[in-house]
Amino acid sequence: MESFDLIVIGSGPAGEKGAAQAAYFGKRVVLIECRAELGGAGINTGTVPSKTLRESALYFSGLRQRGLYGIDYSLREGLTVAGFMHRKDAVVAAERVKIAENLSAHKVELISGAAHFEDAHTVSATDQHGAVRALRGEVILIATGSKPHRPPEIPFDDKFIFDSDSILTMERIPKSMVVVGGGVIGCEYASIFTAMGVAVTLVDGRDRLLPFLDLEISALLRERLASLGLTFFFQERPKLTERTATGIRMTFASGKNVEAETVLFAAGRRGAVEGLALEKAGLGINPRGHIDVNEHYQTSVRNIYAAGDVIGFPALASTSMEQGRVAMCHAFGFPYKQRLASQLPMGIYTIPEISAVGETEESCREKKIEFAVGRAKYANNARGQIIGDFAGLLKLIFRRDNKQLLGVQILGESATELIHLGMAVLEAEGTIDTFIELVFNYPTLSEMYKYAAYDGLGNLAGHKLREG
Ligand SMILES: Cc1cc2nc3c(=O)[nH]c(=O)nc-3n(C[C@H](O)[C@H](O)[C@H](O)COP(=O)(O)OP(=O)(O)OC[C@H]3O[C@@H](n4cnc5c(N)ncnc54)[C@H](O)[C@@H]3O)c2cc1C
């Protein structure tokens, strides 16, 4: 049996970066992947495809120009799925190559096959022809990701009723769609399809979108999505989903119903652990279907680590990569990344996009933190005017007593890029004065940090210095 310092199961963000981290410091690493393609959900079915489709939707709908030039740039009439998916396919293919090159550059051996445990140090990989190869690893990293939740009462057929993976295989762009799930994935796809001219109805059991967001930002998102043409059904749960002559009828627990050509069910994902035979390694899953780990991403079996979606929240590509690296630094005692950064950004690629880090107004109230708020509107910013984003908002939340930054919430163009400046100040435990002291390029959206800080000072002093 061949021996390795590290066996990695899964080539998604957590597996790839964990493998590269260990190999970088000279460890002998093998990575097992059961799919034909490398990259997991991050590259093939989740992050990268959906973000590229968003760009395609902005392009084909002409929304990026926002009607600024008085010309209708919409190209979506007669657009085929192949046309819509073209860029997505190109970007996904390029990203797969990058992963293969990264693993090869780090001399990570790649094995194609489904992995399962024989014991805490032995993993077998069964290839597509049934051939089995047993490997021994000093350390094992489980990075098998997650799968869409498919509740039995929803009759998925991947032709009319899709999950967030199979939606990428749809054969035509429908005229109407019900999206079930007002979480990140549901809201992102609902905005993409609405931008493409599909009549989308978003259904969620709760009474607001993305409840973990600051209420003001969540409400603003709802307003923007409604103005894009999205219809909402809140506090509704699907009870019966049936085929009709033209598509689907979904009846809710309340008795109301909605008809559409297609349904996208995007309410929840669960850890991908089937077939791993975790019990042979002395491991199990928690009631939420995830593997429990400590702060070093170590499972209850000391030499086995787990990272990424398979351990649950926050289940993002960004955090999965870093968890994989941190786990391997701990496993091999590298004097390097000892922990995940304390501030984790959240990027939500709706139209408009959102990003947030740190506290919200609601979380401050819950924690009884005395806080104040400073806002800057995109409409009052020169770059905001130039690009025609008149609805965006950047919001700073800070301590009343010493002006220490507590949180940043942004809705608008480039929010997911803009957030990083706020995140750096937050991580350094800086105050909003930092933004006032800095000189920003002009005209830029980043400059809004300065004016949000001025607004915050005005609010603290009880008078407005300047809006925006
Ligand atoms: C629609 C959508 C949009 C998203 N958008 C974003 C975003 O904008 N930003 C963001 O940060 N995150 C986003 N995410 C989340 C992100 O994709 C995941 O958090 C990330 O891919 C998890 O990485 P991972 O390495 O844990 O697992 P995965 O990427 O799921 O990779 C797991 C890999 O393990 C393999 N595997 C599983 N079982 C076995 C086995 N037994 N043997 C061998 N191989 C196995 C799988 O085939 C897969 O390749 C999105 C997800 C979805 C679904």
Side-chain angles (χ1 to χ4, degrees), residues 76-103:
R76 65 192 179 201
E77 287 307 315
L79 181 70
T80 61
V81 165
F84 182 46
M85 297 282 177
H86 174 74
R87 276 291 302 150
K88 185 268 292 176
D89 293 339
V91 174
V92 166
E95 288 300 302
R96 284 179 190 153
V97 170
K98 264 177 51 194
I99 294 177
E101 285 175 354
N102 185 32
L103 294 175

PDB file of all heavy atoms in Angstrom, residues 76-103:
ATOM      1  N   ARG A  76     -31.607  40.292 -25.124  1.00  0.00           N
ATOM      2  CA  ARG A  76     -32.077  39.012 -24.615  1.00  0.00           C
ATOM      3  C   ARG A  76     -33.147  38.361 -25.493  1.00  0.00           C
ATOM      4  O   ARG A  76     -33.382  37.172 -25.385  1.00  0.00           O
ATOM      5  CB  ARG A  76     -32.546  39.150 -23.169  1.00  0.00           C
ATOM      6  CG  ARG A  76     -33.735  40.019 -22.963  1.00  0.00           C
ATOM      7  CD  ARG A  76     -33.913  40.306 -21.488  1.00  0.00           C
ATOM      8  NE  ARG A  76     -35.056  41.165 -21.293  1.00  0.00           N
ATOM      9  CZ  ARG A  76     -35.253  41.895 -20.237  1.00  0.00           C
ATOM     10  NH1 ARG A  76     -34.375  41.897 -19.261  1.00  0.00           N
ATOM     11  NH2 ARG A  76     -36.322  42.647 -20.116  1.00  0.00           N
ATOM     12  N   GLU A  77     -33.818  39.154 -26.383  1.00  0.00           N
ATOM     13  CA  GLU A  77     -34.819  38.546 -27.274  1.00  0.00           C
ATOM     14  C   GLU A  77     -34.151  37.493 -28.152  1.00  0.00           C
ATOM     15  O   GLU A  77     -33.134  37.773 -28.788  1.00  0.00           O
ATOM     16  CB  GLU A  77     -35.469  39.617 -28.167  1.00  0.00           C
ATOM     17  CG  GLU A  77     -36.444  40.537 -27.443  1.00  0.00           C
ATOM     18  CD  GLU A  77     -37.521  39.785 -26.667  1.00  0.00           C
ATOM     19  OE1 GLU A  77     -38.092  38.835 -27.232  1.00  0.00           O
ATOM     20  OE2 GLU A  77     -37.745  40.134 -25.486  1.00  0.00           O
ATOM     21  N   GLY A  78     -34.696  36.300 -28.176  1.00  0.00           N
ATOM     22  CA  GLY A  78     -34.163  35.253 -29.055  1.00  0.00           C
ATOM     23  C   GLY A  78     -32.885  34.613 -28.541  1.00  0.00           C
ATOM     24  O   GLY A  78     -32.281  33.792 -29.234  1.00  0.00           O
ATOM     25  N   LEU A  79     -32.464  35.022 -27.348  1.00  0.00           N
ATOM     26  CA  LEU A  79     -31.231  34.447 -26.794  1.00  0.00           C
ATOM     27  C   LEU A  79     -31.448  32.967 -26.458  1.00  0.00           C
ATOM     28  O   LEU A  79     -32.467  32.615 -25.857  1.00  0.00           O
ATOM     29  CB  LEU A  79     -30.834  35.215 -25.529  1.00  0.00           C
ATOM     30  CG  LEU A  79     -29.549  34.747 -24.865  1.00  0.00           C
ATOM     31  CD1 LEU A  79     -28.330  35.098 -25.714  1.00  0.00           C
ATOM     32  CD2 LEU A  79     -29.413  35.388 -23.476  1.00  0.00           C
ATOM     33  N   THR A  80     -30.505  32.121 -26.837  1.00  0.00           N
ATOM     34  CA  THR A  80     -30.619  30.688 -26.533  1.00  0.00           C
ATOM     35  C   THR A  80     -29.869  30.380 -25.238  1.00  0.00           C
ATOM     36  O   THR A  80     -29.025  31.176 -24.788  1.00  0.00           O
ATOM     37  CB  THR A  80     -29.982  29.849 -27.654  1.00  0.00           C
ATOM     38  OG1 THR A  80     -28.597  30.225 -27.720  1.00  0.00           O
ATOM     39  CG2 THR A  80     -30.659  30.092 -28.993  1.00  0.00           C
ATOM     40  N   VAL A  81     -30.153  29.202 -24.690  1.00  0.00           N
ATOM     41  CA  VAL A  81     -29.413  28.784 -23.497  1.00  0.00           C
ATOM     42  C   VAL A  81     -27.925  28.685 -23.830  1.00  0.00           C
ATOM     43  O   VAL A  81     -27.071  29.095 -23.039  1.00  0.00           O
ATOM     44  CB  VAL A  81     -29.951  27.441 -22.962  1.00  0.00           C
ATOM     45  CG1 VAL A  81     -28.977  26.834 -21.969  1.00  0.00           C
ATOM     46  CG2 VAL A  81     -31.277  27.655 -22.276  1.00  0.00           C
ATOM     47  N   ALA A  82     -27.622  28.183 -25.030  1.00  0.00           N
ATOM     48  CA  ALA A  82     -26.206  28.048 -25.414  1.00  0.00           C
ATOM     49  C   ALA A  82     -25.526  29.416 -25.402  1.00  0.00           C
ATOM     50  O   ALA A  82     -24.398  29.557 -24.907  1.00  0.00           O
ATOM     51  CB  ALA A  82     -26.104  27.413 -26.790  1.00  0.00           C
ATOM     52  N   GLY A  83     -26.230  30.419 -25.909  1.00  0.00           N
ATOM     53  CA  GLY A  83     -25.674  31.783 -25.922  1.00  0.00           C
ATOM     54  C   GLY A  83     -25.494  32.303 -24.506  1.00  0.00           C
ATOM     55  O   GLY A  83     -24.472  32.892 -24.154  1.00  0.00           O
ATOM     56  N   PHE A  84     -26.511  32.052 -23.677  1.00  0.00           N
ATOM     57  CA  PHE A  84     -26.484  32.526 -22.293  1.00  0.00           C
ATOM     58  C   PHE A  84     -25.364  31.837 -21.507  1.00  0.00           C
ATOM     59  O   PHE A  84     -24.694  32.448 -20.680  1.00  0.00           O
ATOM     60  CB  PHE A  84     -27.857  32.248 -21.664  1.00  0.00           C
ATOM     61  CG  PHE A  84     -28.016  32.727 -20.251  1.00  0.00           C
ATOM     62  CD1 PHE A  84     -27.600  34.002 -19.873  1.00  0.00           C
ATOM     63  CD2 PHE A  84     -28.604  31.915 -19.291  1.00  0.00           C
ATOM     64  CE1 PHE A  84     -27.764  34.442 -18.569  1.00  0.00           C
ATOM     65  CE2 PHE A  84     -28.767  32.346 -17.987  1.00  0.00           C
ATOM     66  CZ  PHE A  84     -28.342  33.615 -17.633  1.00  0.00           C
ATOM     67  N   MET A  85     -25.147  30.543 -21.797  1.00  0.00           N
ATOM     68  CA  MET A  85     -24.172  29.754 -21.026  1.00  0.00           C
ATOM     69  C   MET A  85     -22.740  29.872 -21.587  1.00  0.00           C
ATOM     70  O   MET A  85     -21.802  29.376 -20.954  1.00  0.00           O
ATOM     71  CB  MET A  85     -24.561  28.265 -21.034  1.00  0.00           C
ATOM     72  CG  MET A  85     -25.886  27.959 -20.376  1.00  0.00           C
ATOM     73  SD  MET A  85     -25.757  27.955 -18.568  1.00  0.00           S
ATOM     74  CE  MET A  85     -27.461  27.664 -18.088  1.00  0.00           C
ATOM     75  N   HIS A  86     -22.589  30.479 -22.743  1.00  0.00           N
ATOM     76  CA  HIS A  86     -21.301  30.446 -23.421  1.00  0.00           C
ATOM     77  C   HIS A  86     -20.132  30.938 -22.549  1.00  0.00           C
ATOM     78  O   HIS A  86     -19.120  30.260 -22.392  1.00  0.00           O
ATOM     79  CB  HIS A  86     -21.386  31.283 -24.705  1.00  0.00           C
ATOM     80  CG  HIS A  86     -20.080  31.435 -25.401  1.00  0.00           C
ATOM     81  ND1 HIS A  86     -19.502  30.396 -26.104  1.00  0.00           N
ATOM     82  CD2 HIS A  86     -19.197  32.465 -25.454  1.00  0.00           C
ATOM     83  CE1 HIS A  86     -18.336  30.794 -26.577  1.00  0.00           C
ATOM     84  NE2 HIS A  86     -18.129  32.046 -26.199  1.00  0.00           N
ATOM     85  N   ARG A  87     -20.293  32.118 -21.952  1.00  0.00           N
ATOM     86  CA  ARG A  87     -19.211  32.678 -21.128  1.00  0.00           C
ATOM     87  C   ARG A  87     -18.959  31.799 -19.902  1.00  0.00           C
ATOM     88  O   ARG A  87     -17.832  31.560 -19.491  1.00  0.00           O
ATOM     89  CB  ARG A  87     -19.576  34.091 -20.631  1.00  0.00           C
ATOM     90  CG  ARG A  87     -19.301  35.191 -21.589  1.00  0.00           C
ATOM     91  CD  ARG A  87     -17.827  35.441 -21.823  1.00  0.00           C
ATOM     92  NE  ARG A  87     -17.065  35.771 -20.629  1.00  0.00           N
ATOM     93  CZ  ARG A  87     -15.783  35.492 -20.460  1.00  0.00           C
ATOM     94  NH1 ARG A  87     -15.123  34.854 -21.404  1.00  0.00           N
ATOM     95  NH2 ARG A  87     -15.153  35.827 -19.361  1.00  0.00           N
ATOM     96  N   LYS A  88     -20.063  31.327 -19.326  1.00  0.00           N
ATOM     97  CA  LYS A  88     -19.954  30.473 -18.135  1.00  0.00           C
ATOM     98  C   LYS A  88     -19.083  29.254 -18.464  1.00  0.00           C
ATOM     99  O   LYS A  88     -18.153  28.912 -17.727  1.00  0.00           O
ATOM    100  CB  LYS A  88     -21.362  30.039 -17.706  1.00  0.00           C
ATOM    101  CG  LYS A  88     -21.470  29.251 -16.441  1.00  0.00           C
ATOM    102  CD  LYS A  88     -21.421  27.769 -16.598  1.00  0.00           C
ATOM    103  CE  LYS A  88     -22.561  27.122 -17.275  1.00  0.00           C
ATOM    104  NZ  LYS A  88     -22.368  25.667 -17.468  1.00  0.00           N
ATOM    105  N   ASP A  89     -19.360  28.638 -19.607  1.00  0.00           N
ATOM    106  CA  ASP A  89     -18.594  27.443 -19.981  1.00  0.00           C
ATOM    107  C   ASP A  89     -17.119  27.780 -20.161  1.00  0.00           C
ATOM    108  O   ASP A  89     -16.240  27.021 -19.738  1.00  0.00           O
ATOM    109  CB  ASP A  89     -19.167  26.825 -21.271  1.00  0.00           C
ATOM    110  CG  ASP A  89     -20.568  26.271 -21.047  1.00  0.00           C
ATOM    111  OD1 ASP A  89     -20.912  26.001 -19.880  1.00  0.00           O
ATOM    112  OD2 ASP A  89     -21.320  26.125 -22.029  1.00  0.00           O
ATOM    113  N   ALA A  90     -16.847  28.931 -20.769  1.00  0.00           N
ATOM    114  CA  ALA A  90     -15.451  29.320 -21.019  1.00  0.00           C
ATOM    115  C   ALA A  90     -14.717  29.589 -19.698  1.00  0.00           C
ATOM    116  O   ALA A  90     -13.579  29.139 -19.491  1.00  0.00           O
ATOM    117  CB  ALA A  90     -15.409  30.565 -21.910  1.00  0.00           C
ATOM    118  N   VAL A  91     -15.378  30.294 -18.786  1.00  0.00           N
ATOM    119  CA  VAL A  91     -14.724  30.628 -17.505  1.00  0.00           C
ATOM    120  C   VAL A  91     -14.507  29.362 -16.673  1.00  0.00           C
ATOM    121  O   VAL A  91     -13.434  29.155 -16.098  1.00  0.00           O
ATOM    122  CB  VAL A  91     -15.564  31.676 -16.716  1.00  0.00           C
ATOM    123  CG1 VAL A  91     -14.966  31.918 -15.342  1.00  0.00           C
ATOM    124  CG2 VAL A  91     -15.660  32.979 -17.494  1.00  0.00           C
ATOM    125  N   VAL A  92     -15.522  28.495 -16.642  1.00  0.00           N
ATOM    126  CA  VAL A  92     -15.398  27.245 -15.880  1.00  0.00           C
ATOM    127  C   VAL A  92     -14.232  26.418 -16.422  1.00  0.00           C
ATOM    128  O   VAL A  92     -13.401  25.903 -15.665  1.00  0.00           O
ATOM    129  CB  VAL A  92     -16.729  26.450 -15.926  1.00  0.00           C
ATOM    130  CG1 VAL A  92     -16.543  25.016 -15.460  1.00  0.00           C
ATOM    131  CG2 VAL A  92     -17.783  27.155 -15.072  1.00  0.00           C
ATOM    132  N   ALA A  93     -14.139  26.316 -17.753  1.00  0.00           N
ATOM    133  CA  ALA A  93     -13.057  25.531 -18.363  1.00  0.00           C
ATOM    134  C   ALA A  93     -11.696  26.122 -17.969  1.00  0.00           C
ATOM    135  O   ALA A  93     -10.764  25.383 -17.609  1.00  0.00           O
ATOM    136  CB  ALA A  93     -13.220  25.513 -19.880  1.00  0.00           C
ATOM    137  N   ALA A  94     -11.580  27.443 -18.003  1.00  0.00           N
ATOM    138  CA  ALA A  94     -10.303  28.092 -17.654  1.00  0.00           C
ATOM    139  C   ALA A  94      -9.953  27.855 -16.190  1.00  0.00           C
ATOM    140  O   ALA A  94      -8.786  27.601 -15.847  1.00  0.00           O
ATOM    141  CB  ALA A  94     -10.394  29.589 -17.940  1.00  0.00           C
ATOM    142  N   GLU A  95     -10.954  27.904 -15.326  1.00  0.00           N
ATOM    143  CA  GLU A  95     -10.695  27.710 -13.888  1.00  0.00           C
ATOM    144  C   GLU A  95     -10.284  26.264 -13.588  1.00  0.00           C
ATOM    145  O   GLU A  95      -9.441  26.016 -12.733  1.00  0.00           O
ATOM    146  CB  GLU A  95     -11.929  28.099 -13.072  1.00  0.00           C
ATOM    147  CG  GLU A  95     -12.183  29.600 -13.034  1.00  0.00           C
ATOM    148  CD  GLU A  95     -11.033  30.374 -12.417  1.00  0.00           C
ATOM    149  OE1 GLU A  95     -10.675  30.121 -11.264  1.00  0.00           O
ATOM    150  OE2 GLU A  95     -10.472  31.250 -13.112  1.00  0.00           O
ATOM    151  N   ARG A  96     -10.899  25.320 -14.323  1.00  0.00           N
ATOM    152  CA  ARG A  96     -10.500  23.912 -14.118  1.00  0.00           C
ATOM    153  C   ARG A  96      -9.028  23.715 -14.468  1.00  0.00           C
ATOM    154  O   ARG A  96      -8.295  23.020 -13.765  1.00  0.00           O
ATOM    155  CB  ARG A  96     -11.346  22.989 -14.993  1.00  0.00           C
ATOM    156  CG  ARG A  96     -12.745  22.777 -14.489  1.00  0.00           C
ATOM    157  CD  ARG A  96     -13.472  21.865 -15.459  1.00  0.00           C
ATOM    158  NE  ARG A  96     -14.884  21.793 -15.162  1.00  0.00           N
ATOM    159  CZ  ARG A  96     -15.824  21.534 -16.067  1.00  0.00           C
ATOM    160  NH1 ARG A  96     -15.503  21.337 -17.325  1.00  0.00           N
ATOM    161  NH2 ARG A  96     -17.090  21.471 -15.710  1.00  0.00           N
ATOM    162  N   VAL A  97      -8.614  24.331 -15.569  1.00  0.00           N
ATOM    163  CA  VAL A  97      -7.211  24.212 -15.987  1.00  0.00           C
ATOM    164  C   VAL A  97      -6.304  24.798 -14.901  1.00  0.00           C
ATOM    165  O   VAL A  97      -5.276  24.213 -14.534  1.00  0.00           O
ATOM    166  CB  VAL A  97      -6.977  24.933 -17.342  1.00  0.00           C
ATOM    167  CG1 VAL A  97      -5.496  25.022 -17.662  1.00  0.00           C
ATOM    168  CG2 VAL A  97      -7.732  24.220 -18.456  1.00  0.00           C
ATOM    169  N   LYS A  98      -6.706  25.926 -14.335  1.00  0.00           N
ATOM    170  CA  LYS A  98      -5.881  26.577 -13.297  1.00  0.00           C
ATOM    171  C   LYS A  98      -5.685  25.654 -12.094  1.00  0.00           C
ATOM    172  O   LYS A  98      -4.596  25.576 -11.523  1.00  0.00           O
ATOM    173  CB  LYS A  98      -6.575  27.861 -12.824  1.00  0.00           C
ATOM    174  CG  LYS A  98      -6.042  29.085 -13.544  1.00  0.00           C
ATOM    175  CD  LYS A  98      -6.787  30.341 -13.129  1.00  0.00           C
ATOM    176  CE  LYS A  98      -6.872  30.512 -11.624  1.00  0.00           C
ATOM    177  NZ  LYS A  98      -7.866  31.534 -11.237  1.00  0.00           N
ATOM    178  N   ILE A  99      -6.762  24.946 -11.732  1.00  0.00           N
ATOM    179  CA  ILE A  99      -6.646  24.041 -10.573  1.00  0.00           C
ATOM    180  C   ILE A  99      -5.698  22.894 -10.901  1.00  0.00           C
ATOM    181  O   ILE A  99      -4.822  22.540 -10.103  1.00  0.00           O
ATOM    182  CB  ILE A  99      -8.027  23.502 -10.157  1.00  0.00           C
ATOM    183  CG1 ILE A  99      -8.866  24.662  -9.655  1.00  0.00           C
ATOM    184  CG2 ILE A  99      -7.904  22.435  -9.076  1.00  0.00           C
ATOM    185  CD1 ILE A  99     -10.267  24.284  -9.274  1.00  0.00           C
ATOM    186  N   ALA A 100      -5.858  22.323 -12.096  1.00  0.00           N
ATOM    187  CA  ALA A 100      -4.976  21.208 -12.498  1.00  0.00           C
ATOM    188  C   ALA A 100      -3.525  21.684 -12.480  1.00  0.00           C
ATOM    189  O   ALA A 100      -2.630  20.978 -11.983  1.00  0.00           O
ATOM    190  CB  ALA A 100      -5.365  20.708 -13.887  1.00  0.00           C
ATOM    191  N   GLU A 101      -3.298  22.896 -12.966  1.00  0.00           N
ATOM    192  CA  GLU A 101      -1.921  23.424 -13.003  1.00  0.00           C
ATOM    193  C   GLU A 101      -1.389  23.671 -11.588  1.00  0.00           C
ATOM    194  O   GLU A 101      -0.222  23.418 -11.299  1.00  0.00           O
ATOM    195  CB  GLU A 101      -1.885  24.720 -13.816  1.00  0.00           C
ATOM    196  CG  GLU A 101      -1.996  24.454 -15.304  1.00  0.00           C
ATOM    197  CD  GLU A 101      -2.086  25.726 -16.134  1.00  0.00           C
ATOM    198  OE1 GLU A 101      -2.179  26.838 -15.553  1.00  0.00           O
ATOM    199  OE2 GLU A 101      -2.078  25.606 -17.371  1.00  0.00           O
ATOM    200  N   ASN A 102      -2.248  24.170 -10.729  1.00  0.00           N
ATOM    201  CA  ASN A 102      -1.821  24.448  -9.351  1.00  0.00           C
ATOM    202  C   ASN A 102      -1.426  23.144  -8.639  1.00  0.00           C
ATOM    203  O   ASN A 102      -0.373  23.070  -7.994  1.00  0.00           O
ATOM    204  CB  ASN A 102      -2.955  25.150  -8.586  1.00  0.00           C
ATOM    205  CG  ASN A 102      -2.552  25.579  -7.196  1.00  0.00           C
ATOM    206  OD1 ASN A 102      -1.383  25.922  -6.963  1.00  0.00           O
ATOM    207  ND2 ASN A 102      -3.478  25.557  -6.262  1.00  0.00           N
ATOM    208  N   LEU A 103      -2.269  22.122  -8.794  1.00  0.00           N
ATOM    209  CA  LEU A 103      -1.967  20.835  -8.134  1.00  0.00           C
ATOM    210  C   LEU A 103      -0.698  20.225  -8.722  1.00  0.00           C
ATOM    211  O   LEU A 103       0.156  19.706  -7.996  1.00  0.00           O
ATOM    212  CB  LEU A 103      -3.155  19.875  -8.274  1.00  0.00           C
ATOM    213  CG  LEU A 103      -4.429  20.318  -7.525  1.00  0.00           C
ATOM    214  CD1 LEU A 103      -5.593  19.368  -7.813  1.00  0.00           C
ATOM    215  CD2 LEU A 103      -4.198  20.405  -6.017  1.00  0.00           C
TER     216      LEU A 103
END
